Amino acid sequence: MPRIIFLPAQVEIEAQPEETIIRAAMRAGVHINASCGGAGVCGKCRVFVESGEVEGESLPEGGYKACVTIPRTDVTVRVPVESQMDRRALERPMKKTAVSWIKEGQALKWQLDPVVYQYHLVLPEPTLADNASDLSRLLRELVKIGQKEDIDVDTGVLKNLPYALRKEGFKCSVSLFQPDPEGRSLLFGVQPGAPPKEILAVAIDIGTTTVCGELLDLASGKVLASLSDYNPQVSYGEDIISRIEFARREGGLRLLHQRIIECIARLIREMTQKVGKDPSEVLLISLAGNTTMSHFFLELEPRWLREAPYVPVATIIPPVRAREVDLPVAEGARMILAPSVASYVGGDIVSGVVASGMYREEPLTLFIDIGTNGEIVVGNRDWLACAACSAGPAFEGGGIKHGMRATTGAIEAVHIDPVSLEPMVLTIGGRRPKGICGSGIIALLANLFTEGIIDRQGKFNRGLSHPRVREGRDGWEYVLVWAQESATGEDIVFTEADIDNLIRAKGAMYAGYLTLLESVGLSIEMVERVLLAGNFGSYLDLEQAITIGLLPDLPRDRFFFIGNSSLLGARFAAFSKEVAADMKRVAQMMTNFELSENPSFMDHYVSSLFLPHTDLNLFPSVKERLEAAA
Amino acid sequence: MPRIIFLPAQVEIEAQPEETIIRAAMRAGVHINASCGGAGVCGKCRVFVESGEVEGESLPEGGYKACVTIPRTDVTVRVPVESQMDRRALERPMKKTAVSWIKEGQALKWQLDPVVYQYHLVLPEPTLADNASDLSRLLRELVKIGQKEDIDVDTGVLKNLPYALRKEGFKCSVSLFQPDPEGRSLLFGVQPGAPPKEILAVAIDIGTTTVCGELLDLASGKVLASLSDYNPQVSYGEDIISRIEFARREGGLRLLHQRIIECIARLIREMTQKVGKDPSEVLLISLAGNTTMSHFFLELEPRWLREAPYVPVATIIPPVRAREVDLPVAEGARMILAPSVASYVGGDIVSGVVASGMYREEPLTLFIDIGTNGEIVVGNRDWLACAACSAGPAFEGGGIKHGMRATTGAIEAVHIDPVSLEPMVLTIGGRRPKGICGSGIIALLANLFTEGIIDRQGKFNRGLSHPRVREGRDGWEYVLVWAQESATGEDIVFTEADIDNLIRAKGAMYAGYLTLLESVGLSIEMVERVLLAGNFGSYLDLEQAITIGLLPDLPRDRFFFIGNSSLLGARFAAFSKEVAADMKRVAQMMTNFELSENPSFMDHYVSSLFLPHTDLNLFPSVKERLEAAA
């Protein structure tokens, strides 16, 4: 990848594939004006290319628009004063980004021993002296190659069996499903001739907002394709609670169930199409999702998930035939579903914990998945404790005046110039800004706080005279994007009420860490590793998250992003029956603590309703920075 | 029951419930003229009641029609000369009827430990401190009452589970299926409140001609109702081979499958209705049938059953959900199917062998099921050998000019007066004769032979001058019923060709016994018990069957009728998981011998094409009788 040197700051960074100069600058901590989100319309982000080649849009007055220009060789780029606004931005330390867990090779180690195997059998042809039934003949041969005698047989196999055997002179390939190395195998498919080279499986993460799929080859342990889509249930309720409400209507549950099935079926169709295969060749589906999503997926009544004492119908789901929920895969193909622990600690978390491998290792690890419901797991190979925090939807843009989901046009990154207090905003897809999504919201809050625009209680500095800080209809606010630069034609603002919501949300998370650790007799400094799971985690700026008190102020090298670990766990479970079996073991290991039941949770919560916290000593690096700035 | 003394023979017999005097006379070996089959129209069966009370039809010239008259008290009946024709009939020894195995209490001993259990569970209500999932809560309680931790769960249970638990305050009844005491249990049903007193199950014997059902109460080990019906597949082919042919037509297999399912569904509906229950309360179906019937039942391709080397699709069928074949029983209810051994030794035989208990006992036992395909099993608790003989359909009336199935109007019993050579015929239902069914055919053949009307080769005595013995259109024949007394308005005759068919059929059976015994190094005299299975067996006259050489000439007290042992085994399997597991064990114990492969079979067969056999020394009692008569 080409490297970019930004002048005058002399900051160097390696560009990511197809990354624009402005995005590289944001990563490098170089402030470049950008008020149109990277839509290429405001022209404020001019840079001069001093050496190397770029591809992009040059401006008539010279230079390039950084927001639409991509380096093609190593380049040196000069940020002119008017784009730079203030060089103090360059003096800030580079944001330390947590290392990706997966890239470090630190995720769970597994050996390829997939849940579905195919064998090529050459059976002796029947004679009068040996006229055992087709099935006995086949099972006999399986025993010869080392299968246990006592395997289960899907009766669905039988209808096609005599044809399958006779089509190629009793040479056939059989499909066996075994989700536990200690458990029984199930014969669920027989086809004439040799098996195909690839054994197709699908891993699916059913998120409340997004459904992510991977097409796997179980023979090679490779991912052949991947695809995501929005969860179509969003139309019936943005969050889990409103969908559970919707499910109570006549036919509501059925509708939610059908929609998620259709969505998964579509992902399977499109992924197989991508690689020239057919869904009917898919022999296994490995799924993970939170408890509510699992309930919808199986059409189980979700009503009691949200009413105290929050009882799921089932947490550990036995393997189900995919055709039972009308998924268009191979006849007889089974689905394995990551087990849940409780109503609000679901299979996505269990799958993530398994994918991380933390349940097999020594170090005390804190696993965090931030979303509408933040889930926390702490422990190591000896024990695991977990809890859910009702963080509320603020991190997903919910309850935030101009909050929105992380889609095209959402402001995902913000930097405020310390001197001018002018913002640099980047949107997803580089379009004109429509609103702010989670990572943008956290960045904005952290910047407002760092630059002294708001105080530790989240109140605007009334003494500040700046056109962007004003008393609006809904109280005090910061104007992030002026109407003429927004996609909506309205000012995009961030209000004190928004800030209050965010402080409550991050307070709930932080109180959750402390309470859970306390429940097992530990404190936050003892945590040796912090794993940040989920899509949200992937876009999170670690420093900013610590600055606002959403993440604990621990040495930065203890933090790791693990991405969509729920999907990863589903993938690993397909590739390894040992991992598939571990899912259940881990779910059973995880002791769930109901935080609402714990009186000290409320104390911790109240103490957390400051930036970053009432007790600044819990945030030594933030304290130091604040003191340095003062 | 009233006793009847027949004069002048002074033969006494106890009447059976609602038995007519003529039927009692047939059993007692007293010849009374009867040419209308007992329809009460010929008036030839006049008897005089000398003491006691009867209910029936008196004749204008005095006396009663024996065919429609029933004793109400002990009676003394005089058979007048014209009805009796010849008193030599009275001098014949009484037929020794084989004792019913079941009535002797000799069948398999089993302890009530049914394949389906219901438990009443009172679960602790969930609290925040104990908010395990509904399923975990339930399984936890099952472990407390002694179930293994690792049970299977039918995911179908989950949809209804939360309602079932909450309807009566977490008091519920659960249904567990366990077809093997060493195997895993399956939770397949949860209902609110206490379980009903009765646990309903159905046992079904799928015969080629008849389907027999029993409604069972697994809680008490009792049979609540029973019902039979013709197998509706008969419309598509009388015998197995023609049905397998029919199955090859487009949609043929599906049609045969659907018809048998409909028939079983109807039996289940009617039986449950009889006792005021609903089919949806039936929690288990236990079935037995021959290999072809099992294939049709499961819609498995039967084609290779009839083509050498005669390979079934499967012999051991894992439990199947009843709803998979659209049987209208409880959601989740499973079916167990008696395993087959080979294409022509089916689950009906395995079930019969299990029901008989012979596989658990010491004595060398010969198990015989005579039908289109005679099946033979020999062995004891240490080993079992089996074979099928293609006896052909003669014993079921097939290939016999006036042969018919055992339905109303079929001549089921025949006696020929030794002097007059006039027949006494009884029909099923006491109607005018339409034809002759199996037991009638054997009786007729035995009588013709015993009275010297035919010789040992089955040829009519050409020198005999009798109006009933004549050369007809189809060669020599005996007129059993004159046209004016038959239901068809035609003479009912029995031809030399019929006799030839019968000799071939019985020859195949007898050659089968000898060949199978020889294959295991044994001879016929070593057989300590002979079990006669099947409906046909129940109506068979032992002496007559031995006389024609269909059964071996062993001491009569070694013979036992065991009735529909296939149905009996299916019933026992429902009542006892040990028996259910034994089914598989017995099927695996049974070594199948392909008689057509054995060169000595043909020798034995050819030697058996005499009445009773070429070697009269094999039939000492018949030899003695023939010599006495000569």
Side-chain angles (χ1 to χ4, degrees):
Chain A
M1 285 296 113
R3 303 191 64 82
I4 309 175
I5 298 170
F6 288 102
L7 299 178
Q10 284 199 307
V11 171
E12 187 174 333
I13 195 165
E14 188 178 341
Q16 290 176 350
E18 297 304 304
E19 188 178 42
T20 58
I21 288 172
I22 205 166
R23 285 189 175 265
M26 180 70 92
R27 281 200 301 122
V30 174
H31 187 93
I32 300 178
N33 278 341
S35 52
C36 69
V41 294
C42 72
K44 287 185 187 166
C45 60
R46 178 161 62 161
V47 293
F48 294 99
V49 178
E50 301 210 337
S51 72
E53 285 174 28
V54 298
E55 190 182 326
E57 197 178 328
S58 57
L59 289 161
E61 65 273 28
Y64 287 83
K65 285 184 189 171
C67 66
V68 291
T69 299
I70 295 164
R72 289 303 174 205
T73 62
D74 287 356
V75 293
T76 302
V77 165
R78 179 170 294 277
V79 185
V81 177
E82 80 276 9
S83 298
Q84 180 189 329
M85 297 300 285
D86 182 46
R87 61 179 60 203
R88 266 175 56 195
L90 306 177
E91 289 159 18
R92 291 177 67 217
M94 253 188 73
K95 282 172 205 151
K96 172 112 188 174
T97 300
V99 174
S100 163
W101 191 248
I102 305 310
K103 280 195 195 136
E104 295 276 290
Q106 290 275 19
L108 178 69
K109 304 290 182 299
W110 49 268
Q111 281 203 309
L112 189 64
D113 177 22
V115 165
V116 168
Y117 258 97
Q118 284 197 316
Y119 293 104
H120 186 206
L121 301 181
V122 180
L123 308 180
E125 296 209 13
T127 61
L128 272 175
D130 169 22
N131 59 3
S133 73
D134 289 344
L135 181 62
S136 303
R137 185 170 306 276
L138 195 151
L139 295 179
R140 209 168 61 183
E141 209 63 22
L142 277 174
V143 170
K144 278 194 206 152
I145 61 165
Q147 279 290 323
K148 282 188 213 149
E149 202 146 337
D150 219 18
I151 77 170
D152 292 326
V153 178
D154 188 328
T155 45
V157 163
L158 301 178
K159 286 192 190 176
N160 184 52
L161 180 60
Y163 309 108
L165 293 191
R166 284 164 183 81
K167 191 160 180 202
E168 301 200 9
F170 286 82
K171 291 178 195 66
C172 66
S173 49
V174 298
S175 306
L176 294 184
F177 168 81
Q178 190 189 7
D180 182 342
E182 308 299 319
R184 292 165 71 93
S185 295
L186 171 78
L187 170 70
F188 72 93
V190 182
Q191 298 296 328
K197 255 190 238 153
E198 285 147 341
I199 303 175
L200 298 190
V202 165
I204 299 278
D205 165 55
I206 313 174
T208 308
T209 307
T210 314
V211 181
C212 302
E214 287 180 341
L215 182 67
L216 312 175
D217 172 19
L218 300 184
S220 65
K222 285 190 182 144
V223 179
L224 303 180
S226 57
L227 203 62
S228 299
D229 200 352
Y230 285 108
N231 185 332
Q233 295 174 339
V234 164
S235 317
Y236 309 99
E238 286 266 336
D239 56 42
I240 278 178
I241 299 300
S242 53
R243 281 185 226 168
I244 293 177
E245 273 307 302
F246 182 87
R248 297 199 58 179
R249 296 193 200 174
E250 180 72 30
L253 175 56
R254 176 124 269 247
L255 191 63
L256 290 169
H257 167 71
Q258 284 169 337
R259 282 294 137 85
I260 187 63
I261 295 295
E262 285 160 17
C263 170
I264 293 171
R266 196 168 52 242
L267 286 181
I268 294 174
R269 265 197 308 276
E270 290 178 12
M271 287 193 297
T272 48
Q273 217 164 33
K274 266 190 187 182
V275 298
K277 301 279 184 185
D278 191 83
S280 67
E281 296 171 67
V282 172
L283 300 181
L284 174 72
I285 303 179
S286 173
L287 301 110
N290 63 49
T291 313
T292 309
M293 291 305 116
S294 299
H295 276 55
F296 288 145
F297 176 72
L298 293 170
E299 205 181 343
L300 304 182
E301 175 60 62
R303 176 173 163 189
W304 287 283
L305 293 175
R306 65 157 300 197
E307 291 175 13
Y310 317 113
V311 177
V313 174
T315 45
I316 297 173
I317 308 284
V320 185
R321 200 187 293 251
R323 292 279 182 95
E324 257 180 56
V325 293
D326 285 332
L327 282 175
V329 293
E331 170 90 49
R334 295 308 202 258
M335 308 188 294
I336 52 175
L337 193 61
S340 302
V341 175
S343 282
Y344 293 104
V345 180
D348 52 343
I349 301 305
V350 171
S351 185
V353 165
V354 167
S356 78
M358 65 181 275
Y359 71 102
R360 287 193 188 168
E361 291 167 12
E362 190 63 38
L364 180 66
T365 304
L366 178 65
F367 176 104
I368 304 174
D369 190 338
I370 303 172
T372 306
N373 281 279
E375 291 100 353
I376 315 164
V377 184
V378 68
N380 62 11
R381 67 181 177 202
D382 300 318
W383 58 274
L384 293 167
C386 63
C389 314
S390 297
F395 297 125
E396 290 171 340
I400 304 295
K401 189 170 181 183
H402 286 103
M404 66 179 283
R405 266 184 290 145
T407 55
T408 306
I411 296 167
E412 57 162 339
V414 176
H415 180 247
I416 292 176
D417 185 78
V419 174
S420 65
L421 305 186
E422 285 297 317
M424 165 186 185
V425 306
L426 289 182
T427 60
I428 296 173
R431 305 291 174 80
R432 275 178 181 250
K434 288 182 192 160
I436 325 173
C437 69
S439 54
I441 288 166
I442 289 169
L444 180 54
L445 181 64
N447 272 272
L448 291 174
F449 176 55
T450 305
E451 305 313 338
I453 302 169
I454 57 172
D455 64 14
R456 286 187 59 206
Q457 292 183 66
K459 302 297 171 204
F460 277 97
N461 182 345
R462 270 48 169 171
L464 202 66
S465 169
H466 193 282
R468 289 192 184 257
V469 179
R470 67 184 188 195
E471 201 172 358
R473 245 185 328 182
D474 298 325
W476 284 81
E477 62 192 19
Y478 176 83
V479 184
L480 187 57
V481 180
W482 295 110
Q484 64 268 31
E485 283 156 359
S486 80
T488 56
E490 277 180 57
D491 290 349
I492 296 175
V493 301
F494 191 59
T495 69
E496 242 175 44
D498 293 341
I499 295 168
D500 195 50
N501 273 336
L502 278 166
I503 289 178
R504 287 175 191 281
K506 73 93 193 169
M509 290 300 299
Y510 196 80
Y513 315 146
L514 293 194
T515 313
L516 183 61
L517 283 160
E518 235 176 55
S519 304
V520 291
L522 298 173
S523 65
I524 194 84
E525 316 83 58
M526 298 166 83
V527 170
E528 292 166 84
R529 296 194 304 204
V530 181
L531 307 185
L532 301 170
N535 261 327
F536 185 73
S538 311
Y539 296 107
L540 197 65
D541 183 290
L542 190 55
E543 278 315 318
Q544 292 169 347
I546 294 170
T547 299
I548 65 166
L550 172 60
L551 293 178
D553 191 356
L554 293 169
R556 305 310 186 250
D557 58 3
R558 296 191 192 171
F559 287 86
F560 299 89
F561 289 132
I562 62 169
N564 188 343
S565 54
S566 167
L567 180 63
L568 201 64
R571 183 209 298 168
F572 293 172
F575 283 146
S576 160
K577 40 176 87 94
E578 194 186 353
V579 175
D582 278 352
M583 289 275 192
K584 192 172 158 187
R585 204 158 63 80
V586 166
Q588 287 168 330
M589 258 178 94
M590 281 165 73
T591 309
N592 183 44
F593 288 83
E594 288 292 340
L595 295 180
S596 56
E597 281 292 270
N598 191 320
S600 74
F601 176 74
M602 194 44 80
D603 295 343
H604 284 305
Y605 175 63
V606 171
S607 305
S608 300
L609 295 179
F610 272 70
L611 293 173
H613 192 273
T614 313
D615 181 3
L616 257 186
N617 293 323
L618 281 169
F619 286 80
S621 79
V622 181
K623 184 180 178 191
E624 197 184 320
R625 227 174 326 126
L626 289 175
E627 283 168 357
Chain B
M1 285 296 114
R3 302 189 65 81
I4 309 174
I5 297 170
F6 288 102
L7 298 179
Q10 285 198 304
V11 171
E12 187 173 334
I13 194 166
E14 188 177 345
Q16 289 176 351
E18 297 305 304
E19 189 178 39
T20 58
I21 287 171
I22 203 167
R23 285 189 174 266
M26 180 70 95
R27 282 200 299 123
V30 173
H31 187 95
I32 301 177
N33 279 341
S35 53
C36 71
V41 291
C42 71
K44 290 187 185 161
C45 61
R46 180 162 63 159
V47 293
F48 295 97
V49 177
E50 300 210 337
S51 72
E53 284 175 27
V54 298
E55 189 182 329
E57 198 179 327
S58 56
L59 289 161
E61 64 275 27
Y64 286 83
K65 286 186 191 170
C67 67
V68 290
T69 300
I70 294 164
R72 290 303 177 207
T73 63
D74 287 355
V75 292
T76 301
V77 165
R78 179 171 295 275
V79 184
V81 177
E82 80 276 13
S83 298
Q84 177 190 330
M85 300 299 286
D86 182 46
R87 63 177 59 204
R88 268 175 55 195
L90 306 177
E91 288 159 21
R92 294 177 65 218
M94 253 187 75
K95 281 171 208 152
K96 172 112 188 175
T97 299
V99 174
S100 163
W101 190 245
I102 306 311
K103 280 195 194 136
E104 295 276 291
Q106 289 277 20
L108 177 70
K109 305 289 182 299
W110 49 268
Q111 282 203 310
L112 189 64
D113 176 23
V115 166
V116 169
Y117 258 97
Q118 283 197 314
Y119 293 105
H120 187 205
L121 301 181
V122 181
L123 308 179
E125 297 211 13
T127 62
L128 271 176
D130 169 22
N131 59 4
S133 74
D134 289 344
L135 181 62
S136 303
R137 184 172 306 276
L138 194 151
L139 295 179
R140 210 168 60 186
E141 210 65 21
L142 276 173
V143 170
K144 277 193 206 153
I145 61 166
Q147 278 290 323
K148 282 187 214 150
E149 202 147 338
D150 218 17
I151 76 170
D152 293 325
V153 178
D154 189 330
T155 45
V157 163
L158 301 178
K159 287 193 190 177
N160 183 50
L161 180 61
Y163 308 108
L165 294 190
R166 285 164 182 81
K167 190 161 182 201
E168 300 199 11
F170 285 83
K171 291 178 194 68
C172 67
S173 49
V174 298
S175 306
L176 294 185
F177 168 81
Q178 190 189 6
D180 181 342
E182 307 299 319
R184 293 165 70 93
S185 295
L186 170 79
L187 170 70
F188 71 94
V190 181
Q191 299 296 328
K197 255 190 237 153
E198 286 147 341
I199 304 176
L200 297 190
V202 164
I204 300 279
D205 165 54
I206 313 174
T208 307
T209 307
T210 315
V211 181
C212 302
E214 286 180 342
L215 182 67
L216 312 175
D217 172 19
L218 300 184
S220 65
K222 284 190 183 143
V223 178
L224 304 179
S226 56
L227 202 63
S228 299
D229 199 352
Y230 284 108
N231 186 332
Q233 294 173 340
V234 165
S235 317
Y236 309 98
E238 287 265 338
D239 56 41
I240 278 180
I241 299 299
S242 53
R243 280 185 228 169
I244 293 177
E245 274 308 302
F246 182 85
R248 296 198 60 178
R249 295 194 202 176
E250 180 72 31
L253 175 57
R254 175 124 271 246
L255 191 64
L256 290 169
H257 167 71
Q258 285 169 338
R259 282 295 137 84
I260 186 63
I261 295 296
E262 284 161 20
C263 170
I264 294 172
R266 195 168 54 243
L267 286 181
I268 294 174
R269 266 198 307 275
E270 290 177 12
M271 287 193 297
T272 47
Q273 216 164 34
K274 267 190 185 182
V275 299
K277 301 280 183 184
D278 191 81
S280 67
E281 295 171 68
V282 172
L283 299 181
L284 174 72
I285 303 180
S286 174
L287 300 111
N290 64 48
T291 312
T292 309
M293 292 305 117
S294 299
H295 276 55
F296 288 146
F297 176 72
L298 293 170
E299 205 180 344
L300 303 182
E301 175 59 62
R303 176 175 162 185
W304 288 281
L305 292 175
R306 64 157 301 202
E307 292 176 14
Y310 317 113
V311 176
V313 174
T315 44
I316 298 172
I317 308 284
V320 184
R321 199 188 293 254
R323 291 281 182 94
E324 256 180 57
V325 294
D326 286 332
L327 283 175
V329 294
E331 170 89 48
R334 294 308 200 261
M335 308 189 295
I336 51 175
L337 193 61
S340 303
V341 175
S343 282
Y344 294 103
V345 181
D348 52 344
I349 302 304
V350 171
S351 185
V353 166
V354 167
S356 78
M358 65 181 273
Y359 71 103
R360 288 193 189 169
E361 291 167 11
E362 190 64 38
L364 179 67
T365 305
L366 177 64
F367 175 103
I368 303 174
D369 190 337
I370 301 173
T372 306
N373 281 281
E375 290 99 354
I376 315 165
V377 185
V378 69
N380 62 11
R381 66 181 178 201
D382 299 318
W383 58 274
L384 292 167
C386 62
C389 314
S390 297
F395 297 126
E396 290 171 340
I400 303 295
K401 189 169 181 183
H402 287 104
M404 66 179 286
R405 267 183 288 145
T407 56
T408 306
I411 296 167
E412 55 163 340
V414 175
H415 179 247
I416 292 176
D417 185 76
V419 173
S420 65
L421 305 185
E422 285 296 317
M424 165 185 187
V425 305
L426 289 182
T427 60
I428 297 174
R431 303 294 173 78
R432 275 178 180 252
K434 288 182 193 159
I436 325 172
C437 69
S439 55
I441 288 167
I442 288 169
L444 179 54
L445 182 65
N447 273 273
L448 290 175
F449 176 56
T450 305
E451 306 313 338
I453 301 170
I454 57 173
D455 64 14
R456 286 186 59 207
Q457 292 182 67
K459 302 297 172 204
F460 278 98
N461 182 345
R462 271 43 172 177
L464 204 67
S465 171
H466 192 282
R468 290 194 183 256
V469 180
R470 68 184 188 195
E471 201 172 357
R473 244 188 326 183
D474 297 325
W476 284 82
E477 62 191 21
Y478 176 83
V479 183
L480 187 59
V481 179
W482 296 108
Q484 64 268 28
E485 283 157 358
S486 79
T488 56
E490 276 180 59
D491 291 348
I492 295 175
V493 301
F494 192 57
T495 68
E496 243 176 41
D498 293 342
I499 294 168
D500 195 50
N501 274 336
L502 279 165
I503 290 179
R504 286 175 190 281
K506 72 93 192 169
M509 290 300 298
Y510 196 79
Y513 315 147
L514 293 194
T515 313
L516 184 60
L517 283 160
E518 236 175 53
S519 303
V520 292
L522 298 172
S523 65
I524 195 85
E525 315 85 57
M526 298 167 84
V527 170
E528 293 168 82
R529 295 194 305 205
V530 181
L531 307 184
L532 301 171
N535 259 328
F536 185 74
S538 312
Y539 296 105
L540 197 64
D541 183 290
L542 190 55
E543 278 315 319
Q544 292 169 348
I546 293 170
T547 299
I548 66 166
L550 173 59
L551 293 178
D553 191 356
L554 293 170
R556 306 308 188 249
D557 59 2
R558 296 192 192 170
F559 287 86
F560 299 89
F561 289 131
I562 62 169
N564 188 345
S565 54
S566 167
L567 180 62
L568 201 65
R571 184 210 295 168
F572 292 171
F575 284 146
S576 159
K577 42 176 86 92
E578 195 187 353
V579 175
D582 278 352
M583 288 276 193
K584 193 173 156 187
R585 204 159 63 80
V586 166
Q588 287 168 331
M589 258 178 96
M590 281 165 75
T591 308
N592 183 44
F593 288 84
E594 289 292 339
L595 295 181
S596 57
E597 280 294 88
N598 193 321
S600 74
F601 176 75
M602 192 44 78
D603 295 343
H604 284 304
Y605 175 62
V606 171
S607 305
S608 299
L609 295 180
F610 272 69
L611 292 172
H613 193 272
T614 313
D615 181 4
L616 259 185
N617 293 322
L618 281 168
F619 286 81
S621 79
V622 180
K623 184 181 178 189
E624 197 182 321
R625 225 173 328 122
L626 289 176
E627 283 167 357

